[in-house]
Structures are given as structure tokens and as C-alpha cells.
Amino acid sequence: MADLAIETEGLVKVFGTNRAVDGIDLRVPAGTVYGVLGPNGAGKTTAVKMLATLLRPDGGRASVFGRDVGRDADAVRGRISLTGQYASVDEDLTGTENLVLLGRLLGHTRSAARERSAQLLAAFGLSEAADKQVKHYSGGMRRRIDIAASILNTPDLLFLDEPTTGLDPRSRNQVWDIVRAVVAQGTTVLLTTQYLDEADQLASRIAVIDHGKVIAEGTKGELKSSVGSGSVHVRLRDPEQRPAAERVLATALKATVQLDPDPVALTATVNGHGTELGAAEQAARALAELAGAGITVDTFALGQSSLDEVFLALTDRKGTTA
């Protein structure tokens, strides 16, 4: 694997009787977007706080660019930046005043801080709002200036903790473009999110976390393949034939068939791994068997599993084995 920006082994954090992080192992390649995906309360933010030296681990080990987050905390802080879930800038200051202040605190001269501030405000589409107080910014503008503040000094590693929570689709797309631009400049990004499409859009590798544990890890393709090679979507002409179609598909595909809200639609996962027939061949055979049973199909489609289907399958699987 390429040089690692982050490596953890058995990372643990306990609050009273709650093991918020329960033995997490991560290996994050440098120069990539690494997604940490999970529902609220999964342990994502707690893990980020430990990696960013804001919390001390109760067990295991964690390093950032080879430096231990406990023993070498100062060295780690010199290479990272963090944008948390909530605005970190002063709402009573303008966009320019916030960035200039932070630039001065980071050691820039006044003129250099002003120049860098103007560059970032322009790059993030905030020049027209530069002299407005941040409390008058929209949610999307606040997130953009938060990220701008995080990269006044270009970090080697940027933690983005649920950066688009509560944003409208346009603002989310703007933040995504910023993330891509940051990575193109060589920064590694660890992105925590509960939005499946966000991880799908940005991350080259994804760890799925639930109840403080990593329950799956890999590329988007590997995660999607782990729950099947694809999904078969069938739409019938006659809703009364759906029970029969469900039985035929379950037998032909050796899979559980989901009855969709549409009374003439069904969905099933096709697993092409470890079988003589690939996913496409299995789907074609299922279609032939539906026709042989006298069931009229209006539409029939084979598509790759979505991350939504992956996440639901993984968390359901975890629940059955806990």
C-alpha cells in the first residue's frame, strides 16, 4: 500500500460504560479522500478527535504520518487541520476579519494574512461576502469559510467531520468541489459522513463504522460487491402475478426478494461470486423462468448495488451475528 497518512490498531475510547470506539483498525493512504461512514452515534467523531489529538485513546495505538498521536501530539498538530460539525469562526467578525485573525495566529504577517484571506475567499466564492459578518452567511457559506479557515496553512491531513450536514444540494456540491480541489493540491482528507452519496462521490476507500467498530472496509466497488454483484429490478404488468414472480425469482436467484412499494415491482440482489453463472447470466435465466411461468414482465433491469443497499445489508448482517 502507498505511504500511510493514518494508521490505527485496536483504537479504543470509553466514556463510563460506553465504548464509543471499540477497537478500530484503519489504514489511510496519503493523498486520498478516505470516507468513514456510519449513522449518528457510531463513533466517527470520537475517532476523529483522537486522531486530531483532542482526546487521548484508552487503548490501542494511532499514528499520523508515522507520529504517535499521544507521544508526538505536537508534531501531529503541525501537519493536520480539523473542520468539525459546527462553525469554528467568530460570527460577529466578517469573513475577511476571521481569516486575517487566524492567519496572524498561525504566524503570517498582516499583509500575508490579508493576501491569503483574499485568495481563499475568491477561491471559495465568498469575495462578495468578504465584508459581511459571518452571522449573516447562509449555511453553505459558513461551511465554506470553515474549510477556508482550515487550510490557511495547507495541511498534510484535513479532517472533515460531517461537513455538509444540513446543507441544501447546491451547497453540498460546492463543498464537494472544494474537497476535490484540496486533494488535488496533495492534502489527504479523512471525511466522516452519514450521507451514503457523499462517500460514493468523494472517497476512494471507505470504512463503515457501527457501534464503535469497523464492520467493512474497501473501495466502493469492493463494498458493493460484498453484498452481491448487482440488483435485479422487475416490474410486472399484472399485480396479481407478484406472489408467483416472487417465488420464481427467489428460486432462480437463490436470494431474498424485496416487494417494492409499487404493487407491480420487485427487487432482488444477484450474487455472481462463487457460482457457475455470473450476475448477468443469472438475471437472464430468471427472466426466462418468469416467462416460462406465464408471468408478463414490463421492465427488467440489472444494476450495481448502491451504497444504501450495502449499508443496510452490512448493518442487518451485523445485527444478526451480534
Side-chain angles (χ1 to χ4, degrees), residues 166-241:
L167 298 188
D168 60 79
R170 180 179 179 182
S171 297
R172 291 180 70 203
N173 284 326
Q174 290 173 332
V175 171
W176 292 354
D177 287 341
I178 290 168
V179 173
R180 295 184 184 105
V182 167
V183 175
Q185 297 299 313
T187 296
T188 303
V189 172
L190 187 139
L191 168 76
T192 74
T193 183
Q194 54 186 307
Y195 296 133
L196 298 136
D197 60 333
E198 185 159 84
D200 208 353
Q201 284 281 337
L202 296 174
S204 55
R205 296 189 70 85
I206 298 169
V208 182
I209 293 181
D210 199 16
H211 299 293
K213 297 178 181 289
V214 175
I215 59 174
E217 197 277 345
T219 65
K220 293 172 283 189
E222 289 168 346
L223 291 177
K224 291 175 181 180
S225 295
S226 72
V227 299
S229 301
S231 295
V232 169
H233 304 282
V234 176
R235 198 167 190 280
L236 308 174
R237 182 167 300 173
D238 183 356
E240 293 186 2
Q241 290 188 320

Side-chain angles (χ1 to χ4, degrees), residues 85-207:
Q85 295 181 24
Y86 305 103
S88 59
V89 293
D90 189 324
E91 293 195 342
D92 290 324
L93 298 180
T94 67
T96 294
E97 288 169 343
N98 267 290
L99 296 185
V100 169
L101 172 62
L102 291 170
R104 295 285 284 149
L105 291 172
L106 289 168
H108 293 276
T109 65
R110 183 174 297 277
S111 61
R114 284 194 168 277
E115 181 179 356
R116 181 62 172 157
S117 168
Q119 289 174 348
L120 288 170
L121 288 167
F124 287 21
L126 293 170
S127 293
E128 292 184 2
D131 296 325
K132 291 182 180 179
Q133 290 176 299
V134 170
K135 64 184 176 184
H136 298 305
Y137 282 16
S138 68
M141 293 166 69
R142 290 185 188 210
R143 295 312 284 158
R144 279 183 276 158
I145 199 164
D146 268 349
I147 298 173
S150 299
I151 61 172
L152 275 160
N153 284 350
T154 304
D156 294 318
L157 172 62
L158 175 60
F159 295 101
L160 291 178
D161 190 15
E162 300 192 14
T164 63
T165 298
L167 298 188
D168 60 79
R170 180 179 179 182
S171 297
R172 291 180 70 203
N173 284 326
Q174 290 173 332
V175 171
W176 292 354
D177 287 341
I178 290 168
V179 173
R180 295 184 184 105
V182 167
V183 175
Q185 297 299 313
T187 296
T188 303
V189 172
L190 187 139
L191 168 76
T192 74
T193 183
Q194 54 186 307
Y195 296 133
L196 298 136
D197 60 333
E198 185 159 84
D200 208 353
Q201 284 281 337
L202 296 174
S204 55
R205 296 189 70 85
I206 298 169

Side-chain angles (χ1 to χ4, degrees), residues 238-319:
D238 183 356
E240 293 186 2
Q241 290 188 320
R242 191 160 76 158
E246 180 184 7
R247 293 191 295 272
V248 170
L249 287 174
T251 301
L253 299 174
K254 296 181 174 59
T256 300
V257 178
Q258 175 183 325
L259 301 179
D260 297 339
D262 183 340
V264 294
L266 307 91
T267 300
T269 298
V270 183
N271 188 351
H273 303 297
T275 63
E276 293 181 1
L277 296 177
E281 290 82 0
Q282 289 185 63
R285 185 177 65 181
L287 181 60
E289 294 194 14
L290 287 171
I295 297 169
T296 304
V297 175
D298 271 350
T299 61
F300 185 93
L302 174 64
Q304 190 178 33
S305 299
S306 68
L307 273 184
D308 298 79
E309 291 168 325
V310 170
F311 185 73
L312 289 172
L314 289 171
T315 52
D316 285 348
R317 185 180 304 160
K318 182 179 185 299

